[in-house]
Amino acid sequence: MTRTPPPAAAPENIGYIPGNATNNAVLLMVMRPLWNYRCYWCNEPAEFRQMAVDHIIPRTVSAERLTELKTHFGLPADFGVHRPGNLAPICTPCNTKKSSSDYGDRPVLLDHLNHAAKDAHKVVKQVQRFAALNELGPALLKLLSADLDDPEICTALRSWMPDLLHTAVSLDPDAIGDVVARRAELDLGLDLGSVTLAFAWRAAAAADLLEEITGRSPEAALELAVDRLVALMCRTVQDGLDGLYGPHGHVSAGPAEAADVTVTLTTVTIARTGTSLNLTFTGTVYSQFETTLTQSMFEGDGLEDLQAETEANGRFSLAVSCELADPPGPPEMTDVRITRWKPSTLLWNSDELSFVDYDDE
């Protein structure tokens, strides 16, 4: 007997409901594909269990502040903090770091709001579709939310995972390509924090190959190359800020320091030349940076220091060459480059704030 689906919720009733975990999990489920299964804050792939629905403009915003932001960003009169146009998927670390902070003046926030607004009607349609799935919808939600610390659940998933993966691949061979398969922390001696190196599903097999060829962990084998990539990012930030206008004129930028770096290897190509195996990775990168800037004082009678915080995401390619020798040796980095770069910078001193968008893409 076919079960009659429940009536679809009206579009105006679809959104975040405080305290309703099931409703909000469904929202997260339908939003993740629209944001390419990535955290909107750091632009990195994350598992369903490691994500939540976030309010781009915090739900704790006062009515007065919300009115200011609606005017500032040109938001519609019926904009609501719990509606899909203000919601996005966020990973647990970013959610903890962002909390209920008001980043309303940052230019990048408008990009997030535009993205959410563009996909709002799709969120509504997908939530309505989910309600019509009868038993399958709740079953999918339970599977995504499964407690992997429960031994019985883990045993069951291991037993049935091959069939689930075969089903996913038969529907779309690329469906699992960007899922992070492994990650590790690298200590590159940064003053502002460590670097996370992640291997997406397509690149994960190359991690095992690196370990076999070099005799060291993939993280250790790629540490020098990632260090060079981070250094290149810092130089890119410094070059982008150097010569920009501060509150009183041109600024001179000092060295940039990176923080909260996440490097995700998403694809890899492998080629052999003689006794060398060449691996070229492509992927995404996200980081925050701090930089000291120097400008002329307002009266022109001296110099003044500004501080700059930059957040940037982009894409990169990174190539290493491994000698097929016994005993194995470390890989040699042959190329590293940034192929896309999208930064947003906040400049400040004791009295003034200004924002800079520059793009070296």
Side-chain angles (χ1 to χ4, degrees), residues 130-173:
F130 182 87
L133 287 177
N134 293 325
E135 291 88 354
L136 180 59
L140 288 171
L141 193 57
K142 284 185 178 180
L143 178 61
L144 290 174
S145 307
D147 180 8
L148 298 187
D149 292 327
D150 186 320
E152 291 187 6
I153 291 178
C154 288
T155 299
L157 287 176
R158 286 192 185 98
S159 299
W160 297 104
M161 193 54 65
D163 280 338
L164 293 173
L165 289 175
H166 287 152
T167 301
V169 172
S170 66
L171 288 171
D172 181 359

Side-chain angles (χ1 to χ4, degrees), residues 248 295-304:
H248 309 319
Q295 66 171 0
S296 297
M297 296 186 71
F298 185 74
E299 302 295 336
D301 55 357
L303 297 177
E304 178 183 20

Side-chain angles (χ1 to χ4, degrees), residues 21-361:
T22 300
N23 172 84
N24 300 333
V26 172
L27 277 176
L28 177 60
M29 191 180 196
V30 303
M31 285 193 304
R32 275 165 47 81
L34 300 175
W35 292 81
N36 199 24
Y37 301 94
R38 295 171 182 268
C39 165
Y40 86 100
W41 199 250
C42 68
N43 199 37
E44 289 301 317
E47 302 174 19
F48 181 88
R49 295 179 305 108
Q50 298 298 322
M51 298 191 85
V53 175
D54 188 52
H55 295 73
I56 300 173
I57 294 176
R59 58 177 171 168
T60 55
V61 67
S62 67
E64 182 180 0
R65 177 60 173 158
L66 180 58
T67 300
E68 291 177 2
L69 292 173
K70 287 169 69 172
T71 301
H72 180 72
F73 289 123
L75 302 175
D78 62 350
F79 177 88
V81 292
H82 292 316
R83 299 293 300 280
N86 188 48
L87 304 177
I90 192 169
C91 68
T92 300
C94 287
N95 199 22
T96 301
K97 181 167 56 180
K98 178 177 178 284
S99 186
S100 58
S101 300
D102 183 353
Y103 293 94
D105 294 326
R106 291 198 179 207
V108 72
L109 211 70
L110 182 58
D111 289 340
H112 298 327
L113 288 168
N114 286 339
H115 187 156
K118 177 176 66 73
D119 289 337
H121 72 286
K122 296 179 184 177
V123 172
V124 170
K125 185 180 294 186
Q126 291 295 337
V127 170
Q128 291 174 327
R129 240 180 231 170
F130 182 87
L133 287 177
N134 293 325
E135 291 88 354
L136 180 59
L140 288 171
L141 193 57
K142 284 185 178 180
L143 178 61
L144 290 174
S145 307
D147 180 8
L148 298 187
D149 292 327
D150 186 320
E152 291 187 6
I153 291 178
C154 288
T155 299
L157 287 176
R158 286 192 185 98
S159 299
W160 297 104
M161 193 54 65
D163 280 338
L164 293 173
L165 289 175
H166 287 152
T167 301
V169 172
S170 66
L171 288 171
D172 181 359
D174 294 326
I176 58 175
D178 283 339
V179 175
V180 172
R182 62 185 292 174
R183 66 177 71 235
E185 298 294 318
L186 301 182
D187 184 4
L188 302 183
L190 302 181
D191 291 336
L192 301 179
S194 62
V195 177
T196 299
L197 176 63
F199 291 84
W201 193 279
R202 294 190 194 96
D208 297 330
L209 182 61
L210 269 174
E211 189 162 3
E212 181 179 343
I213 295 174
T214 65
R216 59 197 67 201
S217 71
E219 297 78 32
L222 292 175
E223 184 171 315
L224 177 59
V226 173
D227 186 54
R228 297 282 179 84
L229 174 62
V230 173
L232 177 59
M233 292 161 55
C234 290
R235 287 199 303 273
T236 302
V237 169
Q238 181 179 356
D239 292 345
L241 291 174
D242 204 23
L244 289 176
Y245 277 93
H248 309 319
H250 278 101
V251 300
S252 176
E257 296 185 1
D260 298 322
V261 183
T262 301
V263 176
T264 304
L265 307 175
T266 55
T267 65
V268 61
T269 57
I270 303 174
R272 180 168 177 172
T273 305
T275 60
S276 298
L277 197 66
N278 305 307
L279 295 88
T280 301
F281 294 95
T282 62
T284 62
V285 66
Y286 165 82
S287 184
Q288 296 179 344
F289 305 86
E290 291 186 5
T291 318
T292 298
L293 308 175
T294 303
Q295 66 171 0
S296 297
M297 296 186 71
F298 185 74
E299 302 295 336
D301 55 357
L303 297 177
E304 178 183 20
D305 285 339
L306 290 171
Q307 298 299 315
E309 282 189 355
T310 299
E311 58 181 23
N313 62 71
R315 297 197 62 85
F316 67 89
S317 68
L318 182 155
V320 296
S321 178
C322 304
E323 283 296 318
L324 303 174
D326 188 16
E332 177 185 351
M333 191 196 70
T334 57
D335 184 61
V336 59
R337 63 186 67 188
I338 294 173
T339 57
R340 181 178 65 82
W341 191 243
K342 187 176 181 182
S344 180
T345 298
L346 166 68
L347 310 178
W348 82 96
N349 59 14
S350 58
D351 300 314
E352 302 176 72
L353 293 174
S354 61
F355 299 91
V356 175
D357 281 316
Y358 65 92
D359 199 335
D360 296 332
E361 185 174 347

